[in-house]
Amino acid sequence: MPELPEVETIARGVHARVRNDRITEVWFSSYREPFKTPPAKQAKGLEGRTILRVERVGKHIVVHLSAVSPPSSKSPPPAGRLPHAMAGEWVVHLGMTGRLLVTTPDAPVAPHTHARLTLASGREIRFVDPRRFGRLDFRDLAKGTNFAAPGAEPLWIESSDFAALFRGRKLAIKAALLNQSLLSGVGNIYADESLFRAGIRPRRPAGRLTRDQLERLRLALREVLEDAIRLGGSSVSDYVDADGVRGFFQLEHRVYQRTGEPCLVCKTPIKRIVVAGRSTHYCPSCQH
Ligand SMILES: [Zn+2]
C-alpha cells in the first residue's frame, strides 16, 4: 500500500514530467471499480484540458486542470475567467497496488491498465492497478469545490494545531495518528517510526501527552516522512517512467517489523503489540 512519502514522490515526479501538457485523448478500461466518476463523464472532463499542476493531497494525487480552450477560438475567454484558470481536478487514489506512470504511446501496455491519457507532447499518462482498489475521479470545479483531505496535513501542521488535535482524547496515540480525520495519510510504518523517535509508547492516551511530548512527536513525524521522501526521490524516476516497477526505496525501519530484534539505540528486543487492530512495534526501554 503506497504511503504518504511514496504518493508525494510520485506526485512530484509526474508533475515534473507533464506540467503544461495538454490532454488530447483519453482511453479507459471497461472495469467498473476504478471509476468513481463514470468513464464517459471523466473522458469529457479530461479531454482538451491543460495540466496546470500535479500535487499530493492526503494520500491522493490531484491533477489540476485548466478550462478547455478551443484551439481555433477567436473570441476571448468569458469575462472573469482566465484562459488558464483551474477548472477541474482529476483525483487519483492509488489504493493497494495502483501506479501512475508517464510513458510514450508505443510502450507495451501492462496488464491491468485502466487509464491512458494521451498528451500533446507525445507522452502518455497511464494508471495501472491489478487489484482495483485504486480510484479515479473527475471534479468539475464549476459545479463543486476542490478536493480536500479530511484531516490535517502532517508535513506542514503547526505546533499548536498539532497539539489541539489530541486534546482531551482518550484513544491511544498510535490510533490517533492513524485516524485519517485527524491527520491525513499517516500509515502504520510512519506512526510506529515517529513514536519511536519521539520516545512515546504507542498505547499512551493521546490526550495525556504533554505539550513537549506532542512537539517531539510532531517533529519526529515530519522528519520520518521527509527522510522517506528524500530517499524516494532517488528512485521515483524509475517508478513513474514506463517500466519503472522497481518500487519505492524504503526508509530503514528502526522498530517497524523488527519484532524481537535488538533496539538500535539500547539493544532491548523490539516488542510487537496490536493497537487499533494494527500491528505495532516499539522499544519497551526507549519509549515511555
Ligand atoms: Zn531502545
Side-chain angles (χ1 to χ4, degrees):
M1 167 101 70
E3 295 271 354
L4 184 151
E6 185 169 1
V7 178
E8 173 75 26
T9 310
I10 293 165
R12 288 183 193 178
V14 172
H15 174 82
R17 287 163 178 76
V18 304
R19 187 172 54 116
N20 292 332
D21 217 332
R22 196 165 53 86
I23 301 166
T24 55
E25 206 185 334
V26 170
W27 172 92
F28 290 126
S29 79
S30 54
Y31 287 95
R32 231 183 316 148
E33 301 95 318
F35 302 99
K36 202 170 165 189
T37 312
K41 209 171 156 197
Q42 265 188 68
K44 201 160 163 258
L46 292 171
E47 280 173 355
R49 296 194 190 228
T50 297
I51 296 169
L52 302 176
R53 193 168 81 242
V54 182
E55 66 175 357
R56 176 188 61 80
V57 177
K59 283 219 278 192
H60 293 72
I61 298 168
V62 179
V63 179
H64 297 279
L65 302 162
S66 73
V68 179
S69 38
S72 60
S73 167
K74 286 189 192 100
S75 54
R81 191 193 279 173
L82 297 167
H84 272 177
M86 203 185 288
E89 291 176 341
W90 193 47
V91 183
V92 178
H93 190 261
L94 298 171
M96 304 275 286
T97 53
R99 288 188 292 132
L100 196 64
L101 308 176
V102 179
T103 179
T104 50
D106 57 326
V109 179
H112 313 291
T113 297
H114 299 293
R116 297 174 68 179
L117 276 55
T118 308
L119 305 177
S121 65
R123 285 178 161 174
E124 195 170 293
I125 297 175
R126 291 182 190 172
F127 178 70
V128 181
D129 187 10
R131 294 190 58 188
R132 301 199 296 275
F133 286 108
R135 292 290 176 268
L136 305 174
D137 184 17
F138 175 78
R139 299 168 73 95
D140 186 343
L141 296 186
K143 293 179 187 149
T145 50
N146 288 73
F147 176 78
E153 169 52 55
L155 274 183
W156 306 308
I157 188 167
E158 308 246 354
S159 186
S160 55
D161 294 338
F162 189 80
L165 290 179
F166 305 107
R167 200 165 295 145
R169 291 188 189 271
K170 294 193 177 86
L171 82 171
I173 185 62
K174 162 81 185 259
L177 286 174
L178 294 178
N179 184 335
Q180 300 296 303
S181 63
L182 297 178
L183 285 167
S184 280
V186 178
N188 209 25
I189 301 172
Y190 299 97
D192 281 5
E193 292 295 315
S194 60
L195 285 168
F196 174 74
R197 292 192 195 198
I200 298 168
R201 286 212 184 190
R203 277 206 183 114
R204 290 285 303 276
R208 301 274 285 276
L209 297 175
T210 65
R211 191 68 187 254
D212 278 358
Q213 286 176 314
L214 287 172
E215 184 57 5
R216 281 211 307 274
L217 180 58
R218 183 182 74 94
L219 295 173
L221 183 58
R222 198 169 70 186
E223 185 185 272
V224 292
L225 293 170
E226 279 177 351
D227 281 356
I229 292 165
R230 208 169 302 124
L231 287 168
S234 56
S235 62
V236 74
S237 108
D238 288 352
Y239 197 94
V240 298
D241 283 334
D243 302 309
V245 286
R246 184 173 80 174
F248 193 74
F249 190 84
Q250 291 281 0
L251 184 77
E252 195 197 346
H253 305 149
R254 297 188 188 169
V255 287
Y256 183 74
Q257 288 185 342
R258 292 191 66 244
T259 312
E261 290 177 45
C263 169
L264 299 176
V265 174
C266 73
K267 304 218 166 30
T268 304
I270 299 301
K271 271 188 87 164
R272 177 187 176 279
I273 55 174
V274 174
V275 178
R278 306 294 300 275
S279 212
T280 297
H281 313 79
Y282 73 101
C283 171
S285 128
C286 292
Q287 291 171 256
H288 305 283

